[in-house]
């Protein structure tokens, strides 16, 4: 459609003519853009922010403000109006739940033993406080160990203190004969 001028000519029963002109202006449909679908970490609160440059907006949840707080997976649609013309867009959002993990309580082991971390997460990246980058590991030296794990948009952190105790010294008296 394009802008156009219409001329309407009318004739009454007596042969009198009248004329009027109508200018039709075609406004383009507004195109709101909510961007790509969103990924959040479970437990976080997300926001969908829309930089409003239109005459008015209405979200599918009924609000008419520029940003909407979200806390569960789903989708939101926005309808905008510009010069009485409507436009819409939709965004989906997912709250990722990759699971949880714990290194366990601080641990005291006998010297010569080891502590194996058994982390059952899907990880994109892993960084231990001593720069090790494997998810699970066998700890053989005492110390404080922290691990930071990234999985999707989620980040996890836990710390454990592993201590090793030297075996006790057993010193028996010399063999004795007792009557």
């Amino acid at each position: 459609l394009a802008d156009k001028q219409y001329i309407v000519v009318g004739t009454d029963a007596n042969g009198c003519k009248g004329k009027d002109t109508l200018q039709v202006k075609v406004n383009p449909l507004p195109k709101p853009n909510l961007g790509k679908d969103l990924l959040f970490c479970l437990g976080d609160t997300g926001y969908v922010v829309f930089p409003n440059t239109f005459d008015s907006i209405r979200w599918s949840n009924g609000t008419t403000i520029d940003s909407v707080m979200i806390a569960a997976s789903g989708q939101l649609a926005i309808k905008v109006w510009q010069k009485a013309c409507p436009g819409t867009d939709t965004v989906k959002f997912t709250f990722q739940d990759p699971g949880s993990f714990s290194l366990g309580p601080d641990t005291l082991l006998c010297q010569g033993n080891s502590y194996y971390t058994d982390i059952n997460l899907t990880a994109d990246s892993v960084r231990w406080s001593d720069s090790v980058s494997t998810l699970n590991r066998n700890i053989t030296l005492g110390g404080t160990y922290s691990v930071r794990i990234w999985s999707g948009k989620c980040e996890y952190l836990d710390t454990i203190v592993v201590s090793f105790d030297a075996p006790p010294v057993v010193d028996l008296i010399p063999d004795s004969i007792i009557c």
Side-chain angles (χ1 to χ4, degrees):
L1 293 175
D3 294 353
K4 190 169 183 176
Q5 183 179 44
Y6 293 91
I7 301 171
V8 179
V9 177
T11 306
D12 68 12
N14 298 323
C16 297
K17 292 187 177 191
K19 173 173 113 173
D20 197 3
T21 304
L22 175 67
Q23 181 70 33
V24 176
K25 170 135 177 76
V26 178
N27 292 320
L29 290 176
K31 296 179 182 173
N33 184 356
L34 293 173
K36 296 178 183 177
D37 291 345
L38 303 170
L39 179 64
F40 299 99
C41 190
L42 190 66
D44 289 349
T45 299
Y47 290 88
V48 178
V49 179
F50 181 70
N52 184 9
T53 58
F54 299 97
D55 294 340
S56 65
I57 65 171
R58 179 171 299 279
W59 294 94
S60 54
N61 67 1
T63 62
T64 57
I65 57 176
D66 294 353
S67 66
V68 176
M69 182 179 77
I70 52 177
S73 295
Q75 75 176 31
L76 271 174
I78 193 167
K79 188 169 189 177
V80 302
W81 289 267
Q82 186 71 36
K83 297 181 182 172
C85 297
T88 60
D89 193 20
T90 301
V91 65
K92 292 179 184 175
F93 39 90
T94 304
F95 283 81
Q96 176 186 8
D97 182 10
S100 62
F101 84 99
S102 171
L103 293 175
D106 293 348
T107 302
L108 175 63
L109 299 171
C110 293
Q111 196 170 16
N113 290 329
S114 63
Y115 183 83
Y116 181 74
T117 61
D118 188 16
I119 301 170
N120 189 16
L121 273 181
T122 301
D124 298 324
S125 179
V126 177
R127 179 65 53 199
W128 287 86
S129 52
D130 58 352
S131 299
V132 172
S133 60
T134 59
L135 187 59
N136 287 301
R137 62 185 292 186
N138 209 25
I139 298 174
T140 58
L141 297 173
T144 300
Y145 294 85
S146 295
V147 64
R148 187 176 303 266
I149 300 171
W150 292 269
S151 180
K153 293 278 184 175
C154 303
E155 181 180 352
Y156 300 92
L157 176 67
D158 198 16
T159 300
I160 188 171
V161 176
V162 178
S163 303
F164 292 92
D165 196 12
V169 176
V170 179
D171 189 18
L172 298 175
I173 59 172
D175 292 344
S176 300
I177 299 176
I178 301 177
C179 298

